[in-house]
Amino acid sequence: MKIAAIAAVVSLLSVTAFAVGIHLFYNPTIVENRDDAFAQQADQAGTSGAESGVGIMSPGSGTPPTLEEVTEAYTHKARGWTSEDTMGGAIRPGYQWVSMEVADADGPIRSRYVYAESGAVKTEYTAENPGDLNAVESDCIRMDLSWVNENYSYIPNANFFYTIADEEGKYAGECFEALYAKEDKSAWFTLCYSRDPGSSNEDGSTYLVKGDYDEVYSYTTSDGFEFVIQIYGECSWAFCATKYSTISFYGGYMSQMEIENILDHLDLYAAENAG
């Protein structure tokens, strides 16, 4: 079988100008209460002449899973790298993954090709050190893990990156995820991003109600990316959406200052973010 090579959420919240260009983010809107969410959506629907539902994101439990539980989930792919049982899943639904070909099962960056019934190809990578995956990231979206690796302990093999080429061999998206912990394992967090050029984040209306969280606020990083940070109990989330990309953080037992410091040091880039 031929190996195909690939070049290695939500309503509009703000349009912010920077010296380097115009940055567009499509993050959830923070409101005081649910009535405000319905009122804002009604105003938007009246202006656009469209009707759409209101999505309110709720935090669920404030107690995070254990590091052992998260590690089990995040090492699933790496532990079964040569097994077809682990080849499923993609950010873009509808693909039926039917076979795979392992290109590297032992190197510092392991790789394999997963083939869809339609002819699409998913090129997957994993590594002991998630920082090594920076070498295979595309030019569409990037996250530099150098500072994170120096200040936190990565969980070995708890990372994953893939790109998708569609039936015609064209770029159809990518996804990355990694798991980190404090050295004493008292806290942990995940870093993820995805990009799907076939699905725009411009559509829809998602809201966060202040009273549902202990803290919820917008935070702009040192490189100009606007996140919505949410804290509830011992759980924390950070989320940033551009037109086609989403970048997220999820943590257990992480402090507000630690979250902001991590986001400030990711040296993020998303191709459609600046105009």
Side-chain angles (χ1 to χ4, degrees), residues 26 30 50 63 72 78 100 102 115 118 126 128 146 196 199 204 208 221 228-229 245 247 255 269:
Y26 301 89
I30 300 170
T63 302
E72 176 74 13
M100 74 174 196
V102 176
Y115 302 96
S118 64
T126 190
E128 178 177 345
S146 301
D196 182 355
S199 178
L208 300 169
T221 66
V228 174
I229 294 176
S245 301
I247 304 161
S255 74
Y269 171 79

Side-chain angles (χ1 to χ4, degrees), residues 1-7 77 81 83-92 95-103 111-125 160-167 169-170 172-175:
M1 183 176 293
K2 182 179 180 180
I3 293 178
I6 309 174
K77 288 277 189 180
W81 198 245
S83 170
E84 290 190 350
D85 293 339
T86 66
M87 69 182 182
I91 53 171
R92 182 177 292 189
Y95 290 121
Q96 299 296 320
W97 306 108
V98 294
S99 63
M100 74 174 196
E101 181 178 1
V102 176
S111 58
R112 64 186 187 179
Y113 303 92
V114 182
Y115 302 96
E117 191 172 44
S118 64
V121 182
K122 180 174 55 165
T123 305
E124 300 183 328
Y125 304 89
F160 186 52
F161 174 74
Y162 66 80
T163 57
I164 299 175
D166 67 15
E167 296 79 358
K170 297 179 181 178
E174 63 190 281
C175 183

Side-chain angles (χ1 to χ4, degrees), residues 246-262:
T246 61
I247 304 161
S248 62
F249 165 104
Y250 174 47
Y253 309 100
M254 298 291 293
S255 74
Q256 186 173 335
M257 182 178 296
E258 289 169 333
I259 297 165
E260 293 178 3
N261 205 22
I262 290 168

Side-chain angles (χ1 to χ4, degrees), residues 16-24 273-275:
T16 310
F18 292 87
V20 296
I22 303 299
H23 293 239
L24 301 176
N273 187 61

Side-chain angles (χ1 to χ4, degrees), residues 22 24 140 195 201 241-246 269-275:
I22 303 299
L24 301 176
C140 296
R195 186 175 190 272
N201 288 323
T242 67
K243 187 174 182 179
Y244 298 115
S245 301
T246 61
Y269 171 79
E272 75 276 4
N273 187 61

